Amino acid sequence: MSSENSSADDVQRVWDVVVVGAGPAGASAAYAAAVAGRRVLLLEKAELPRYKTCGGGIIGPSRDSLPPGFELPLRDRVHAVTFSHNGRFTRTRRSRQMLFGLINRPEFDQQLVEHAQKAGAELRTGVTVQRVEQHGSAVPDRRTVAVVLQGGETLLARAVVGADGSASRIGAHVGVKLDQVDLGLEAEIPVPETVAEDWKGRVLIDWGPMPGSYGWVFPKGDTLTVGVISARGEGAATKRYLEEFIGRLGLAGFEPSISSGHLTRCRADDSPLSRGRVLVCGDAAGLLEPWTREGISFALRSGRLAGEWAVRIAEAHDAVDARRQALNYAFAIKAGLGVEMSVGKRMLTVFERRPGLFHAVLTGFRPAWNAFKEITQGSTSLGELVRSHPMAHRALSALDRRPAVDTGSGAEGGASGGAAGGAAGGAANGEGAELSS
């Protein structure tokens, strides 16, 4: 157990906020509550730093959600994206401005926790939460939640934030419902300097062979993070895709330093975000972008909101007031991240049916590439894009209605219902082309 552990007499102490899980969501929640001057305890079952299966892409919304003074431990700055469709129709697009940054999660998560500690949060590592109780003998009054640790120790809090990942015990207590589960497989591959130099500043995104699947290569100095993701239930096919993807890239001869897998879980629209004085955020709430399965920005943003509203719940003197604050938290999540998720779900549905069209439009239609840039750089979001750009709204609505006729060739612009698809389809016929903007 960490040296930051509380002493035994803290069993009877009532914390304002206890946060379970010290990933980006939990650290953000702890920071937000601690900055407000509350007594905050952050619990983590692992010892820090610890590895997490994650591409490590930090897009604009993630950067905007970091604590003041936070310096990103960037391993690379991405200015170019190479797109391919199952290894074919390769095209690279470049941007003068950085699109997004790449980090290693152990460093990033550790730094977030340190910021929460500097704000006044107390950290305990090496502890596993078995359950939370809001009624019964362990709970002294209706303003208190009991957090029961493995081994029997009980902590008391005025509010609890569950940020304990996609297999969350706090999420189970709240009753989180999921309607999309995906399997991500990843390898950290150390490469020689000559290979690393070829990838510097550039990532690869490959639209995969299974519906809704894709692969990525993220360079981080002398290591390439190579991964794939697809719907759960396709485990053998997903593993085969990763092996073929690595082989196609000419990386099969290099021994991975880490090979790992992870399930990502996306919440159902009617899934609760709270129960009594307990809130959930990040992966524990099933909050992530359904199409790309990007979760770091959702973790940071929902974690901050959870920390802020947990402070209000901690101050609530009765169940009615606590319920009001929890509903306000849910409204804040749904009004922002929920809108992005609903658009992402529509994007995933279209992408599952017509990956070739997506590839064609992104690589051959400049407004689509500009939208990609704006989203990754943080100047817009999926929700804002559809809401504020009539053409984007019309195109997505048209694609929603069209039957799947994806040939997989990427050259299907005529089926897109407009000049955008026509231009994109024509552009997608040539391999190895490069466009700059």
Side-chain angles (χ1 to χ4, degrees):
M1 197 173 283
S2 151
S3 61
E4 289 117 338
N5 293 348
S6 304
S7 59
D9 59 10
D10 274 344
V11 172
Q12 296 309 310
R13 179 181 183 179
V14 180
W15 297 87
D16 291 319
V17 178
V18 168
V19 181
V20 184
S28 296
Y31 175 86
V35 159
R38 300 305 182 268
R39 298 186 304 277
V40 179
L41 178 63
L42 178 59
L43 303 175
E44 169 59 42
K45 67 180 178 181
E47 297 294 345
L48 299 176
R50 49 94 177 98
Y51 181 78
K52 174 78 164 62
T53 304
C54 176
I58 301 294
I59 60 175
S62 296
R63 292 196 301 270
D64 295 342
S65 302
L66 294 169
F70 189 98
E71 290 190 18
L72 276 166
L74 292 182
R75 291 307 179 113
D76 205 342
R77 291 168 168 81
V78 176
H79 287 265
V81 182
T82 298
F83 295 98
S84 60
H85 185 192
N86 202 17
R88 302 160 62 218
F89 309 104
T90 302
R91 295 178 71 81
T92 298
R93 302 223 58 165
R94 298 187 180 276
S95 169
R96 281 184 287 272
Q97 290 181 302
M98 184 178 85
L99 294 166
F100 54 94
L102 299 175
I103 52 92
N104 284 330
R105 281 290 302 276
E107 297 170 342
F108 178 70
D109 291 12
Q110 176 75 38
Q111 209 166 303
L112 283 170
V113 168
E114 288 170 0
H115 272 259
Q117 288 178 283
K118 286 174 190 170
E122 189 167 323
L123 172 68
R124 288 184 65 178
T125 60
V127 291
T128 299
V129 172
Q130 277 198 327
R131 66 186 183 278
V132 292
E133 296 179 5
Q134 300 194 64
H135 307 282
S137 58
V139 184
D141 58 63
R142 292 186 178 183
R143 287 192 62 205
T144 308
V145 182
V147 180
V148 182
L149 307 182
Q150 201 169 56
E153 182 184 355
T154 298
L155 305 169
L156 302 178
R158 299 292 182 211
V160 171
V161 175
D164 47 337
S166 60
S168 169
R169 291 193 177 189
I170 312 301
H173 172 80
V174 167
V176 172
K177 294 187 287 184
L178 307 164
D179 72 355
Q180 177 187 327
V181 183
D182 296 287
L183 171 64
L185 299 177
E186 195 168 74
E188 302 284 350
I189 305 178
V191 293
E193 188 177 341
T194 51
V195 176
E197 192 61 33
D198 184 51
W199 285 98
K200 188 174 174 60
R202 177 176 66 94
V203 302
L204 169 65
I205 297 175
D206 177 71
W207 313 119
M210 296 93 75
S213 67
Y214 73 96
W216 62 88
V217 179
F218 285 179
K220 299 170 186 174
D222 59 1
T223 298
L224 300 179
T225 298
V226 183
V228 301
I229 195 163
S230 68
R232 183 177 65 172
E234 298 280 350
T238 306
K239 187 178 180 187
R240 189 162 57 249
Y241 175 31
L242 178 61
E243 290 169 352
E244 290 173 355
F245 186 43
I246 289 172
R248 214 161 53 216
L249 294 165
L251 301 173
F254 304 116
E255 186 68 29
S257 58
I258 299 174
S259 295
S260 62
H262 179 66
L263 291 176
T264 65
R265 297 173 168 92
C266 194
R267 71 187 293 273
D269 287 338
D270 61 346
S271 178
L273 290 160
S274 67
R275 178 179 171 186
R277 291 175 174 266
V278 179
L279 306 177
V280 285
C281 60
D283 284 344
L287 291 167
L288 74 160
E289 200 282 288
W291 173 38
T292 63
R293 291 80 155 187
E294 190 277 320
I296 295 177
S297 76
F298 280 71
L300 292 169
R301 289 181 285 173
S302 65
R304 187 186 70 240
L305 288 170
E308 291 169 355
W309 289 105
V311 167
R312 295 175 173 92
I313 290 172
E315 294 168 347
H317 288 287
D318 56 44
V320 173
D321 191 18
R323 176 65 176 157
R324 184 184 304 117
Q325 304 304 339
L327 287 172
N328 286 338
Y329 166 68
F331 178 80
I333 291 289
K334 290 172 184 176
L337 301 179
V339 172
E340 292 180 36
M341 290 182 71
S342 64
V343 176
K345 285 180 183 178
R346 292 171 66 191
M347 296 278 280
L348 176 64
T349 299
V350 175
F351 172 62
E352 286 174 337
R353 288 160 38 205
R354 311 190 66 176
L357 176 61
F358 255 82
H359 179 68
V361 170
L362 257 179
T363 56
F365 185 50
R366 190 171 294 278
W369 166 247
N370 289 340
F372 179 91
K373 283 199 303 180
E374 289 171 11
I375 289 168
T376 58
Q377 290 168 340
S379 58
T380 190
S381 67
L382 273 176
E384 288 170 4
L385 191 71
V386 172
R387 190 165 53 239
S388 59
H389 290 66
M391 187 168 71
H393 178 75
R394 286 198 304 272
L396 190 54
S397 297
L399 288 167
D400 278 343
R401 293 191 297 268
R402 284 187 171 270
V405 291
D406 199 334
T407 62
S409 70
E412 48 167 323
S416 75
N429 282 319
E431 293 199 30
E434 185 168 308
L435 300 170
S436 296
S437 58

